[in-house]
Amino acid sequence: MNRRVAALFLGHLANDSLYSSLPPLLPLLVAAYGLSTALVGAIPAVYMMVASFLQPLFGQLFDKRGKTWMMSVGLLMGGLAVMSVGYMESYPAVVAAAAIGGLGSALFHPVATSLSSSVEGDDRASNVSVFMLGGNLGLSVGPLIILSTLTTFHIRGTFVALVLPAIAALILFRLRSRLSKPSMERAEGVRVNRLALLLVLLASVLRGTATITLITFLPLYITSLGLSVGVGGLMLTVMLLSGGVGMLVAGRIGDRFNKMLSASALLFSAGPAVLLFSGTSIETVWLLAGVMGFTLMSAHPLIVVIAHELLPERTGLASALTYGVAFGLSNLFIPLIGSAIDAVGFSRTLQAMAALPVLAGLATLLTYRMRVVRREPASASTV
């Protein structure tokens, strides 16, 4: 693995471990402040919303200034914020700390994602896939990191949250001169079709909604079948691990074949797997969980690289839209999907959800047809 890609991988792992460190703290915060479920649930929600919807601001700033030290600042800001949660004296202060942590994540993500596709060579999709895999691993190890000290130091054990981000921030800061803003250039006389950009964002939101829905409700669906919580957790693990493998495989495929067609094929394959997931035998469900994770999650790095190639001079903004904003918008649909499950049941809702990856694949396929247009004096469809 390229040294710079490895550093970005570590940075992403450290950054995303901070968000997943918050849920294990929630029971302690309930006990400390007497919070309701709604109030305590607002803490990670505030973190996520700030981290998602402020990314375009910092993405555009990076496009203009190209300051790679923004990653180190974001990591330290996030680490200090999550650490401070265990030392705050009031609920509003905890929410403020969560918002600052989200701000740090918003600062880190568009810069690091943009840089992951700028490392020299023809392995842009593979590099972005490795970078994203770091984030997935970070979400997995975050609870383990924070729990390692909570048993001994109780809520004051949050100091451990700063360790990994501080190490990653130092490494990235020392490599800042070797990490440069992407230098992809657009061909002369060619401008990007605005509709193509909207289609890429739509594909990212649809894919994200399907993925987050499955991650959120898969364990509940499995327990509704009469199986144990442990089985649901193991099946979710199978899905996430398959997604990690899929990212690495898709990165290689995307570097050797057309990225848009590759992403479309993966998304089209996810639709039948989601459709068949409900109402089939438990043995088949295990297989389908792996297929869903592989196809849905592997398409994401390809979509991000497609956005980079559509906006070669503004990769920070492209990263923010297809990563942060898409993730935030996808999460907004989860309560509505939960209401649909309450109204019509898991099976019908999951069957309807099968349309989302298919529509995402169609949007990506349409992007392939209209990704660029020649500059026309009176054209209203270009930017």
Side-chain angles (χ1 to χ4, degrees), residues 4-170:
R4 283 162 287 184
V5 175
L8 293 168
F9 170 91
L10 177 62
H12 202 188
L13 190 156
N15 182 85
D16 285 17
S17 71
L18 295 173
Y19 175 70
S20 61
S21 295
L22 291 175
L25 297 175
L26 299 186
L28 300 179
L29 294 173
V30 169
Y33 303 114
L35 303 175
S36 66
T37 302
L39 286 176
V40 78
I43 296 170
V46 166
Y47 183 107
M48 184 270 292
M49 289 300 174
V50 173
S52 298
F53 292 115
L54 287 186
Q55 282 194 38
L57 173 65
F58 296 117
Q60 292 188 79
L61 179 63
F62 177 66
D63 289 333
K64 293 179 180 179
R65 303 293 184 182
K67 302 299 185 181
T68 58
W69 51 258
M70 292 166 63
M71 293 183 294
S72 297
V73 173
L75 285 168
L76 290 175
M77 184 183 298
L80 287 168
V82 174
M83 181 189 75
S84 69
V85 167
Y87 296 86
M88 293 300 180
E89 299 296 333
S90 67
Y91 172 72
V94 171
V95 174
I100 294 171
L103 188 65
S105 183
L107 189 58
F108 171 84
H109 266 113
V111 178
T113 307
S114 179
L115 291 173
S116 68
S117 71
S118 70
V119 178
E120 293 88 343
D122 298 322
D123 298 330
R124 181 175 297 144
S126 296
N127 292 337
V128 174
S129 296
V130 171
F131 168 75
M132 289 191 173
L133 181 61
N136 283 7
L137 290 178
L139 291 173
S140 301
V141 303
L144 299 178
I145 293 173
I146 204 74
L147 288 171
S148 67
T149 55
L150 289 185
T151 53
T152 302
F153 299 97
H154 198 58
I155 199 168
R156 304 297 188 191
T158 52
F159 66 82
V160 74
L162 180 60
V163 175
L164 190 56
I167 294 172
L170 177 61

Side-chain angles (χ1 to χ4, degrees), residues 191-200 310 370-371 373 379-383:
R191 306 186 78 182
V192 176
N193 189 308
R194 183 178 300 168
L195 181 57
L197 292 173
L198 292 175
L199 286 171
V200 170
L310 286 172
M370 60 177 63
R371 59 195 182 281
V373 294
S379 175
S381 62
T382 59
V383 293

Side-chain angles (χ1 to χ4, degrees), residues 1 9 125-140 207 211 215 235-253 266 289-302 323:
M1 186 189 301
F9 170 91
S126 296
N127 292 337
V128 174
S129 296
V130 171
F131 168 75
M132 289 191 173
L133 181 61
N136 283 7
L137 290 178
L139 291 173
S140 301
R207 184 215 64 86
T211 304
I215 291 173
M235 193 170 294
L236 179 58
T237 300
V238 168
M239 177 181 164
L240 294 174
L241 289 176
S242 299
V245 173
M247 284 184 179
L248 297 178
V249 173
R252 293 294 181 184
I253 293 174
L266 288 166
V291 173
M292 291 188 303
F294 186 97
T295 53
L296 284 170
M297 297 175 70
S298 62
H300 191 202
L302 297 181
Y323 212 141

